[in-house]
Amino acid sequence: LGEVVFKSESQRLRLNSIVWPAVISMVLQRLEVFEKEGLHFGVVEAALLQEAQMQPMFDEVWVVSVPPDVAIQRLMSRSGVDRNRASSIVASQWSNEQREKDATVVFARKGDEPLEQWEEEAQRAWQRLLQRVQAAA
């Protein structure tokens, strides 16, 4: 399937028009459950949340970005695709600048940071979120 959709913009858009409404429906159902359970907040991981125009559903959007060459290298390692295919997949997605523009929190990674640095940064952002939630409650 990926072979088809990442080579053809029209096929990718067609697939998105089928998949995204179902994803949005599932997210809305999950958010309703959070609310019924009296939860003050929930976390939804959705790689294409912004491209699917889902950001209005959320109070905050957190983005992790890496340089395109790092994304390509990771895709090649993770999925076993060649450089051309990995490049076309990355090129079909929103750029870091597009995703970062509307983000509440941005984790801009270079790709070579130690895991401890990432964990510390994420922990600080999480603590700031908890403070915002407590202040709003």
Side-chain angles (χ1 to χ4, degrees), residues 23 27 30-31 34 42-47 49 54 58 60 62:
V23 170
V27 168
R30 190 66 187 145
L31 292 174
F34 289 168
V43 176
V44 176
E45 190 281 327
L49 176 145
M54 293 170 57
F58 304 97
E60 295 195 6
W62 292 20

Side-chain angles (χ1 to χ4, degrees), residues 54-111:
M54 293 170 57
Q55 58 275 50
M57 297 167 51
F58 304 97
D59 295 318
E60 295 195 6
V61 174
W62 292 20
V63 169
V64 178
S65 62
V66 297
D69 59 315
V70 173
I72 290 166
Q73 202 57 39
R74 288 181 180 174
L75 190 54
M76 290 168 57
S77 296
R78 183 182 67 233
S79 302
V81 298
D82 65 25
R83 179 168 293 283
N84 286 339
R85 172 134 160 143
S87 295
S88 71
I89 291 170
V90 170
S92 74
Q93 299 171 345
W94 275 19
S95 69
N96 287 333
E97 293 77 19
Q98 287 173 294
R99 290 184 305 109
E100 292 171 2
K101 184 179 63 153
D102 295 322
T104 312
V105 176
V106 175
F107 299 101
R109 318 307 312 158
K110 290 182 277 183

Side-chain angles (χ1 to χ4, degrees), residues 20 24 48-57 94:
W20 287 352
I24 291 168
L48 299 174
L49 176 145
Q50 292 170 298
E51 291 179 52
Q53 303 298 310
M54 293 170 57
Q55 58 275 50
M57 297 167 51
W94 275 19

